[in-house]
Amino acid sequence: MKRSIILYLLAFLIIGAAAYKVIKERRKKNITKTAVTAPVFPVEGYLVRDTIAEYELQTIGTIRANESVHIVSEISKRLIFINFSEGTFVTKGTLLFKLDDADLKARLEKFTLMEALAMQNEQRNKTLLEKGGISQGVYDEVLNNLKTIQADIHLIQVELDKTEIRAPFSGMIGLRNVSNGAFITPDMILTRLQDVSKVRIDFSIPERYANSIEPGLKISFTLPANPEVFTATIKASQPNIDVTTRNLKIMAMTDNSSGLILPGSSVKVSLQFEESQRSIFVPSQCLVPSLKGYNVYVVSEGKAILREVIVGRRTNKSVQLLDGTKPGDTLIMTNLLRIRPGSKVEIINTI
């Protein structure tokens, strides 16, 4: 009886050991099968490198004439002559308006006669002074009277000059606001004169681009009603940042001999910048958005490693990475929706 029990126990142990061995072998096969069938994702990679990036900034500007002035009178007089055709080119010094000067000419004639008499009187008294016939004080009064009359004559001549309103520079004359016979006062705008042979483009850029601006830099711009692309050269910028807008105001100039660019037009301005220092720029499709910002997948030993990055400037096709990567890293550009941290990947192309 004891012998039978022992035999049964031995048989049970042998069968249990055999079953355990079978189960263990099956588990090993399943693990091996799982490892063999783990997916490997084909991806395209981007090799991180230091670059000097170029990028474009677009903003809105305003066209202004090279020179522009409202033509007004310095004195109140009646207008007697208009010497230009509206909308035409006039040269510097051209007589535009003539005001009535009859009273001034009459006063000038009067003081001219007084001057002649005063000069004769001065000469006579000078001779008497030299002979001791009069005192120095008497002669000084006579001389002072002559100089006073001459000063009045000069003042009338200045007033006469103001009756002739001339073009201060060459340019296109605008529409006139008065007619012959009108009484002109200094607060009346008679017309407008503009030099449009050259035009200026006034625009502003954010303060972070201020160090990239220097005289001589080329810009391009387009007009709303003209598909042609024009170019201009930056001439100057304000020496300070506007504290309200945090923008830098810039002025560029361009030739307008064709007359196609009209002052007052709004324009779309484009500036091409180049980074002064090397930095890391990667294609925008490398970025993986997250709740905290952005991540990228870095390839390490055939696996995708998720890494958090800090984003800087953007261009049309690339983005600057300020932290999180280094030159020599390979970033994954494609298949980003399928891979997960730790996924096996195969780089089929690297740029």
Side-chain angles (χ1 to χ4, degrees):
M1 186 68 180
K2 290 183 178 179
R3 188 177 179 181
S4 298
I5 294 172
I6 293 172
L7 290 174
Y8 279 122
L9 289 173
L10 290 173
F12 179 77
L13 291 173
I14 292 172
I15 293 172
Y20 174 77
K21 186 175 181 181
V22 171
I23 293 172
K24 186 176 181 181
E25 289 294 329
R26 285 182 178 179
R27 286 182 177 177
K28 286 178 66 178
K29 288 182 179 180
N30 288 336
I31 293 172
T32 303
K33 185 178 180 181
T34 302
V36 171
T37 58
V40 179
F41 298 99
V43 297
E44 292 186 2
Y46 177 81
L47 182 62
V48 176
R49 58 184 74 89
D50 281 336
T51 58
I52 295 180
E54 293 184 352
Y55 51 95
E56 183 181 34
L57 173 65
Q58 293 187 342
T59 185
I60 300 299
T62 301
I63 299 294
R64 303 191 188 280
N66 181 37
E67 300 287 351
S68 179
V69 66
H70 286 132
I71 303 297
V72 298
S73 172
E74 295 183 65
I75 58 176
S76 298
K77 288 285 183 181
R78 184 171 58 86
L79 178 63
I80 61 173
F81 182 56
I82 298 175
N83 190 41
F84 66 89
S85 298
E86 296 165 294
T88 59
F89 180 82
V90 296
T91 58
K92 180 179 180 180
T94 299
L95 178 64
L96 303 177
F97 299 95
K98 177 62 179 174
L99 306 181
D100 183 20
D101 60 0
D103 60 329
L104 293 174
K105 285 183 175 180
R107 289 175 57 196
L108 179 61
E109 183 178 359
K110 172 186 175 181
F111 276 97
T112 300
L113 294 174
M114 292 173 63
E115 180 190 26
L117 180 60
M119 290 177 65
Q120 294 175 5
N121 193 25
E122 186 270 337
Q123 287 296 324
R124 286 194 300 266
N125 282 271
K126 186 177 182 181
T127 302
L128 291 173
L129 177 65
E130 292 173 352
K131 295 179 179 181
I134 60 173
S135 65
Q136 182 67 44
V138 173
Y139 173 76
D140 289 343
E141 290 182 3
V142 173
L143 181 61
N144 183 67
N145 181 59
L146 172 62
K147 290 183 177 180
T148 300
I149 294 172
Q150 290 175 337
D152 288 335
I153 290 175
H154 180 69
L155 181 60
I156 294 172
Q157 288 172 338
V158 170
E159 293 291 315
L160 278 171
D161 289 340
K162 292 180 180 180
T163 63
E164 295 183 349
I165 303 175
R166 299 181 179 272
F169 52 81
S170 299
M172 299 295 294
I173 198 74
L175 304 178
R176 57 184 173 87
N177 300 320
V178 292
S179 301
N180 280 329
F183 186 80
I184 305 302
T185 59
D187 60 342
M188 296 175 60
I189 297 176
L190 307 181
T191 187
R192 188 173 184 178
L193 178 66
Q194 297 186 93
D195 174 16
V196 293
S197 59
K198 294 180 180 179
V199 293
R200 55 185 287 170
I201 302 95
D202 293 342
F203 61 96
S204 298
I205 61 170
E207 63 177 325
R208 64 178 178 271
Y209 299 106
N211 292 334
S212 301
I213 295 297
E214 59 183 16
L217 183 67
K218 298 291 184 180
I219 68 167
S220 59
F221 64 94
T222 55
L223 299 166
N226 191 336
E228 182 178 353
V229 178
F230 298 89
T231 59
T233 303
I234 291 178
K235 294 297 182 182
S237 62
Q238 286 283 21
N240 65 288
I241 302 295
D242 189 292
V243 296
T244 303
T245 62
R246 299 299 177 188
N247 288 338
L248 175 67
K249 189 173 182 180
I250 300 170
M251 185 271 287
M253 295 285 293
T254 189
D255 180 72
N256 189 35
S257 54
S258 63
L260 295 176
I261 309 174
L262 298 179
S265 302
S266 64
V267 293
K268 185 177 181 181
V269 179
S270 296
L271 298 89
Q272 297 290 335
F273 289 113
E274 185 178 271
E275 284 284 341
S276 58
Q277 296 181 346
R278 291 183 177 273
S279 56
I280 294 176
F281 277 79
V282 302
S284 300
Q285 57 263 41
C286 292
L287 296 181
V288 179
S290 70
L291 294 177
K292 295 182 179 180
Y294 291 96
N295 299 320
V296 295
Y297 278 109
V298 181
V299 179
S300 178
E301 298 180 354
K303 294 183 179 180
I305 307 301
L306 191 64
R307 189 178 295 173
E308 185 177 349
V309 293
I310 298 177
V311 173
R313 294 177 179 172
R314 292 178 179 268
T315 68
N316 291 335
K317 296 181 180 179
S318 60
V319 61
Q320 183 184 30
L321 298 186
L322 302 176
D323 191 24
T325 60
K326 63 182 183 300
D329 288 344
T330 299
L331 306 186
I332 297 176
M333 297 174 57
T334 59
N335 233 346
L336 294 175
L337 295 178
R338 298 179 62 190
I339 62 177
R340 296 291 181 270
S343 296
K344 289 189 175 182
V345 294
E346 179 185 359
I347 299 176
I348 58 177
N349 183 37
T350 302
I351 62 173

